[in-house]
Amino acid sequence: MSERSERTDQLSAKDPSPLWEVFVRARRGLSHTHVGSLHAPDAELALRNARDLYTRRQEGVSIWVVPASAITASSPDEKDAFFDPAADKVYRHPTFYEVPDGVAHL
Amino acid sequence: MYGNDFAAPEDGPGGGLLGEVEAAEAALREAAARARRGGPAPDEDLDGYFTDVIDADQKIEPRDWMPEAYRKTLIRQIAQHAHSEIIGMQPEGNWISRAPSLKRKAILLAKVQDEAGHGLYLYAAAETLGVSRDELVQLLLDGRQKYSSIFNYPTLTWADVGAIGWLVDGAAIVNQVPLCRCSYGPYARAMIRVCKEESFHQRQGYEILHTLAHGTPAQKAMAQDAVDRWWYPSLAMFGPPDGDSTHSAQSMAWKIKRFSNDDLRQRFVDMCVGQAEVLGLALPDPELRWNDERQAYDYTQPDYDELMRVIKGDGPCNRERMAHRRRAHAEGAWVREAAAAYAAKQKNKEKVAA
């Protein structure tokens, strides 16, 4: 249902029926969202099973399936270095910029 | 999970058990929003960090550090939950070909399909803890992991399908709604999906009983007989009384469980009394009466010796359920091999073409 731990990644390589991650787009215009995972021998069966498993109640209009082994995840240990917005780059935010009084639609 | 195109359930947030599921889902998003930034500091001990996350009601995710005992407990609980969904298809599957109308048959098929899906969501959640589904299935087949005691009871009449929906799925929901707030993220998210579908099961079961109870005298008698037989096994689903529950204290400290077995059992009884009245059916307990002091119903405890016997493999249908599951697994081996061989062949073809 979520990101794999590394231990599962190793196991799934030997698994006769590989693991697939499933992404569903709920409606036109929305993005695909991860909804879970399943085992299937190949992509086509993964797609059919995902249809039956995750879209039985009008949950979506488009499905992606991806072999779990094809996904590389960031590690929680490097979360800080990886994701901290650089505090010295405040100019990346629109709020950094001063708008003179009286300017509309900006 | 209801899609975005789907109307909200009519008793939406705030109303009944479905409302509690919605609230748990909202809490999940809130917890994520106030999540502590970053992982443990380099010099921080992992145990302390883990405890902090639990205390702050935030979620443990698959790649976070966790105590080995927490991982083991979760694997056991989630796997046995998954096995229960899979074995649970058998008692109801027994009535698919004999459902009394095409409508009831289609509903029952959809319900059994849901149970298979619940099994898969749960196996997937268990796999995030570093076991493979094949290993877990093997543990079930070898009898080294258990499934819910309730599925070792037989479905003798069509009304049993109604009683299972109302009482068994009802008990499951009371048990599972608090699990939507469980400290392990993948399990909590799986439970939110499961509970929403489980509500459909409970309501369709209730409708079956309601129809029967307002039908001919023979139909009403059949409904009453089913309730008589399923009431105590359903109460036993909540597990042994608090004093005898081996895993409870630790599971509550880790916020895997949020309420004790007896608390949930009481909640279930209190819920069922009014529902039984509307059905016009009696709950088979002469001691059942309102206790004004406790603001709850007094009731007769289920037979826990029977529960222990059933868990140990000596219930009415244990052997049959496991034999059926083992046979399906063994006789399906060549199909799994064929699918794997076909997938390998297709992969080779792609390689040659590329």
Side-chain angles (χ1 to χ4, degrees), chain B residues 24-41:
Chain B
E25 204 176 2
L28 202 68
R29 283 192 295 268
E30 278 165 31
R34 63 188 156 72
R36 178 179 152 166
R37 283 263 300 286

Side-chain angles (χ1 to χ4, degrees), chain A residues 1-5 21 34 36-37, chain B residues 61-62 124-125 128 185-186 189:
Chain A
M1 302 295 292
S2 170
E3 49 178 325
R4 307 284 110 193
S5 70
E21 298 297 338
H34 183 241
S37 46
Chain B
E61 293 298 335
T128 63
R189 290 189 288 272

Side-chain angles (χ1 to χ4, degrees), chain B residues 46-265:
Chain B
L46 292 166
D47 206 31
Y49 175 73
F50 173 83
T51 312
D52 274 1
V53 171
I54 301 262
D55 287 347
D57 256 337
Q58 286 165 8
K59 301 298 165 194
I60 300 293
E61 293 298 335
R63 297 181 55 142
D64 290 339
W65 181 88
M66 60 189 86
E68 204 46 36
Y70 177 84
R71 184 189 297 275
K72 286 228 172 78
T73 283
L74 275 169
I75 289 177
R76 183 183 47 83
Q77 182 173 342
I78 301 174
Q80 299 192 156
H81 197 159
H83 300 329
S84 303
E85 301 284 357
I86 299 301
I87 298 289
M89 290 192 279
Q90 290 186 40
E92 291 174 292
N94 184 31
W95 280 90
I96 290 176
S97 63
R98 294 178 286 170
S101 72
L102 190 54
K103 177 183 140 187
R104 296 291 178 202
K105 185 174 182 157
I107 292 171
L108 188 56
L109 277 166
K111 186 185 166 189
V112 173
Q113 188 187 21
D114 278 353
E115 309 288 6
H118 296 173
L120 296 188
Y121 304 156
L122 286 160
Y123 281 127
E127 285 193 293
T128 63
L129 291 158
V131 282
S132 75
R133 187 177 74 180
D134 290 352
E135 278 175 73
L136 298 175
V137 168
Q138 200 55 50
L139 286 172
L140 170 69
L141 295 177
D142 294 345
R144 289 164 60 208
Q145 279 190 337
K146 306 201 182 306
Y147 55 88
S148 177
S149 57
I150 195 78
F151 301 119
N152 293 312
Y153 290 86
T155 40
L156 303 178
T157 69
W158 167 250
D160 286 30
V161 175
I164 289 181
W166 175 41
L167 295 173
V168 175
D169 293 315
I173 295 181
V174 168
N175 208 7
Q176 289 169 1
V177 163
L179 289 175
C180 295
R181 294 174 184 272
C182 155
S183 62
Y184 187 58
Y187 194 25
R189 290 189 288 272
M191 289 327 300
I192 289 174
R193 293 185 73 94
V194 169
C195 283
K196 287 180 177 179
E197 294 178 352
E198 211 72 69
S199 297
F200 142 56
H201 301 172
Q202 189 194 18
R203 288 174 186 202
Q204 67 85 29
Y206 191 80
E207 196 201 62
I208 289 176
L209 288 183
H210 193 263
T211 306
L212 291 174
H214 293 79
T216 65
Q219 285 175 319
K220 182 164 185 180
M222 183 167 76
Q224 183 62 59
D225 169 63
V227 170
D228 290 350
R229 282 181 292 108
W230 287 92
W231 174 248
Y232 283 114
S234 301
L235 289 190
M237 281 175 72
F238 294 95
D242 293 349
D244 305 342
S245 182
T246 40
H247 305 289
S248 273
Q250 183 61 74
S251 285
M252 286 179 75
W254 276 330
K255 295 191 181 170
I256 295 173
K257 277 178 80 157
R258 313 304 292 247
F259 300 97
S260 77
N261 294 353
D262 287 335
D263 285 350
L264 292 171
R265 193 168 7 244

Side-chain angles (χ1 to χ4, degrees), chain A:
Chain A
M1 302 295 292
S2 170
E3 49 178 325
R4 307 284 110 193
S5 70
E6 271 170 77
R7 295 163 65 173
T8 318
D9 292 344
Q10 288 160 7
L11 280 165
S12 65
K14 290 177 282 171
D15 196 322
S17 187
L19 189 67
W20 301 76
E21 298 297 338
V22 183
F23 300 79
V24 172
R25 193 178 69 196
R27 252 188 317 199
R28 298 193 71 79
L30 294 180
S31 57
H32 284 78
T33 307
H34 183 241
V35 292
S37 46
L38 52 81
H39 287 276
D42 60 31
E44 196 179 332
L45 279 173
L47 201 56
R48 281 167 188 268
N49 289 342
R51 192 266 320 263
D52 289 347
L53 187 57
Y54 292 110
T55 64
R56 286 200 299 284
R57 293 184 173 84
Q58 302 176 18
E59 287 93 340
V61 294
S62 165
I63 302 177
W64 290 344
V65 291
V66 184
S69 57
I71 293 177
T72 309
S74 61
S75 153
D77 308 337
E78 58 195 17
K79 214 190 288 182
D80 283 329
F82 224 63
F83 297 115
D84 250 3
D88 57 338
K89 290 178 182 164
V90 281
Y91 50 84
R92 283 174 169 171
H93 298 281
T95 44
F96 175 75
Y97 300 93
E98 273 177 38
V99 177
D101 290 342
V103 180
H105 310 300
L106 192 70

